[in-house]
Amino acid sequence: MPQTSSIAEALEKEKLCNSSRNAQKEVMGLVLAVMAERCYDKSRWSSYWDLLPDIDDRQDMPVFWDQQDLQPLRNTPMAEKLGGKWPMTGCHVEHPTQVEELFDTVVKPFCSKGHVPEWQDKTKQQQWWLYLWATAVVSAYSFTLGEDKFQAMVPLWDMLNHVTGQCNVRLHHSSKHEALQMITTKPIKQGDEIINNYGPCSDSELLRRFGFIEQQPNPHNGCEIPCAMLVARCQEHMHPSGAKQSSSDAAHISSNKVFLQKKVQFIQKHGLVPSDGWFKADVLGQPQDEMIEVVRLLLLTAAEFTAFEKQVDRWQCPLARPLTQMTSICHQVPHIIRAIATERLAALAEPCTANDQAGNEHMHGFRRMAAQQVLLIERRALMGLQLWLDKHDSTSLINCSKKVWMHLR
């Protein structure tokens, strides 16, 4: 944990640990702590670092890939999350994300104050690679512990692998006893592998965060749509750019932008936005019900939204009747989602052909294979989303919206 590192006092001063549950600051505090301890000859954690992979052994993680390696993955959720595109206030994308930006805005200013041993003596390339190594290690090996969401490295436990659907242990953190336990969830025979669960991760997420993909079909695969993109496209639909505007029109648009933010706060308050700010559709293209409901709410007029907001408030009162009064859905809802799916599909790279592979011999075999698999899954799921929207009428969509509120209730 950052609190047990040799630079804990400096991290606390910079509010990079014990940071009021700010997930990104907690992660960056741990990255900096790992960097400092790695450079400190007398670190109490020296024997632990010897167990962890060095830079050469983590090259499968995309944080180490150059722009040419990442080219097949341009405009995929993996690449966009890595670069920090489509941020959503109140949401947290698991590390690594905003890699270059955080190096410039957090790491360099902190290290320039002398908190990381011999930082000033390193070349710029050495500084960058030390940061990338620490970022990869924290992403692949750290845990989030307790209600306070402390970010910590857990020696030995972090050596367990993940295989989707085959987990046989669970992690239990007891704040009361200050203990961390890995408890078996099924009998494990002698010689069998102990398998952890890194969460419901698609191959895209497994590649970005841990540097591998599943060898078997992954039920969590699909495509992803950023909520920030939904908000932006709904706003553009309601107020197309390029049209001539009078002063009264400008005032009206400004007022509507404020109202749009009120809608965003409403959907976040009621838990309609995923914690990372990205909606998902499965491999067949079926989207999350919440995505449909969010677009429906964003397209409501001021009067319609105000009425619905009051309806929700009454619904939440004790003994209130279930929220089932929704009877129609704007025909623009599927249009907006389909347009976004089409836009994102068009922005993706084309699948690699045999000739392309011959021209990409510079790419490591795993990188080429993993990039193609992630790309193909994203393309197929986006096409599936288009087909799903074509096959479902307004009645089906309104039922999706209703299910959201039934679930929340």
Side-chain angles (χ1 to χ4, degrees):
M1 296 171 65
Q3 293 86 341
T4 62
S5 72
S6 59
I7 59 169
E9 186 176 336
L11 291 171
E12 291 233 24
K13 184 177 179 181
E14 299 291 335
K15 298 181 179 180
L16 289 168
C17 65
N18 296 327
S19 49
S20 301
R21 301 188 181 184
N22 185 310
Q24 187 177 81
K25 287 186 176 181
E26 283 287 327
V27 171
M28 290 309 300
L30 184 55
V31 168
L32 289 163
V34 169
M35 291 171 61
E37 296 296 331
R38 181 69 170 182
C39 295
Y40 184 41
D41 291 337
K42 297 181 180 179
S43 171
R44 61 187 289 199
W45 307 108
S46 295
S47 58
Y48 175 47
W49 304 135
D50 292 340
L51 293 174
L52 295 176
D54 59 23
I55 290 177
D56 291 335
D57 293 328
R58 295 306 313 171
Q59 292 291 310
D60 288 340
M61 291 192 68
V63 291
F64 292 107
W65 299 11
D66 59 29
Q67 289 302 312
Q68 196 170 8
D69 290 335
L70 289 170
Q71 185 65 12
L73 290 169
R74 65 183 184 274
N75 301 316
T76 62
M78 196 221 74
E80 291 179 330
K81 290 181 183 181
L82 202 61
K85 190 175 182 181
W86 300 112
M88 186 76 181
T89 303
C91 296
H92 169 65
V93 173
E94 294 288 348
H95 222 55
T97 184
Q98 298 174 268
V99 177
E100 294 184 12
E101 179 183 342
L102 291 172
F103 181 69
D104 291 331
T105 61
V106 178
V107 175
K108 287 166 65 173
F110 181 87
C111 293
S112 66
K113 297 177 182 178
H115 299 311
V116 174
E118 301 179 353
W119 175 262
Q120 302 293 4
D121 298 331
K122 297 181 184 298
T123 65
K124 290 183 178 180
Q125 185 178 25
Q126 288 173 329
Q127 292 173 350
W128 174 246
W129 280 95
L130 173 63
Y131 163 65
L132 287 186
W133 174 82
T135 295
V137 164
V138 168
S139 174
Y141 292 94
S142 68
F143 292 77
T144 302
L145 305 177
E147 294 180 359
D148 292 327
K149 298 188 179 302
F150 290 119
Q151 202 73 24
M153 308 291 290
V154 185
L156 298 182
W157 291 128
D158 58 17
M159 298 176 70
L160 301 184
N161 288 326
H162 163 101
V163 181
T164 300
Q166 296 186 31
C167 176
N168 51 22
V169 292
R170 65 181 177 86
L171 184 68
H172 175 68
H173 176 249
S174 173
S175 301
K176 180 179 179 180
H177 298 99
E178 296 185 347
L180 187 64
Q181 298 173 303
M182 194 69 80
I183 302 172
T184 61
T185 57
K186 61 181 72 172
I188 303 176
K189 296 179 181 179
Q190 183 176 354
D192 285 354
E193 182 177 6
I194 300 175
I195 301 174
N196 195 6
N197 181 11
Y198 297 174
C201 298
S202 65
D203 282 350
S204 174
E205 281 294 275
L206 290 173
L207 180 62
R208 180 178 67 88
R209 294 167 56 189
F210 306 105
F212 73 93
I213 58 177
E214 293 282 19
Q215 296 182 4
Q216 302 298 324
N218 187 339
H220 304 299
N221 280 339
C223 62
E224 296 184 77
I225 306 281
C227 185
M229 189 177 193
L230 292 175
V231 174
R233 297 300 178 263
C234 286
Q235 182 176 340
E236 291 169 4
H237 173 77
M238 297 171 74
H239 308 289
S241 59
K244 292 185 178 180
Q245 300 174 0
S246 64
S247 57
S248 60
D249 290 334
H252 179 66
I253 291 174
S254 177
S255 174
N256 281 332
K257 286 182 177 179
V258 172
F259 199 73
L260 181 66
Q261 288 306 308
K262 182 179 179 181
K263 291 179 179 178
V264 172
Q265 292 170 2
F266 175 85
I267 63 178
Q268 289 186 312
K269 172 186 174 183
H270 292 283
L272 302 184
V273 181
S275 60
D276 65 353
W278 289 71
F279 289 104
K280 297 170 180 61
D282 65 22
V283 287
L284 299 178
Q286 181 168 346
Q288 289 178 271
D289 296 330
E290 288 82 359
M291 178 163 65
I292 294 169
E293 175 60 358
V294 162
V295 176
R296 185 189 77 85
L297 290 171
L298 291 174
L299 293 177
L300 291 179
T301 65
E304 290 170 337
F305 178 76
T306 300
F308 184 78
E309 189 176 25
K310 291 179 179 178
Q311 185 181 349
V312 171
D313 288 339
R314 289 195 302 269
W315 171 70
Q316 289 185 325
C317 293
L319 304 179
R321 296 177 60 189
L323 185 67
T324 57
Q325 288 90 336
M326 289 182 284
T327 57
S328 63
I329 193 166
C330 175
H331 71 280
Q332 292 297 338
V333 169
H335 171 76
I336 293 288
I337 299 175
R338 186 185 293 104
I340 290 175
T342 301
E343 177 184 345
R344 293 188 65 81
L345 184 60
L348 294 178
E350 290 293 329
C352 200
T353 64
N355 290 334
D356 294 330
Q357 290 182 12
N360 286 336
E361 291 179 353
H362 73 281
M363 288 184 72
H364 184 277
F366 170 79
R367 295 184 185 183
R368 181 170 58 246
M369 179 272 294
Q372 285 302 303
Q373 181 161 321
V374 168
L375 172 63
L376 285 172
I377 290 169
E378 187 72 18
R379 290 182 62 88
R380 288 169 182 167
L382 284 170
M383 287 186 251
L385 176 57
Q386 294 173 318
L387 292 173
W388 188 93
L389 291 167
D390 289 339
K391 292 178 180 178
H392 290 77
D393 58 17
S394 59
T395 301
S396 299
L397 296 181
I398 200 65
N399 285 335
C400 291
S401 289
K402 288 182 178 180
K403 281 192 291 183
V404 169
W405 294 101
M406 290 171 65
H407 172 69
L408 292 174
R409 182 58 167 166

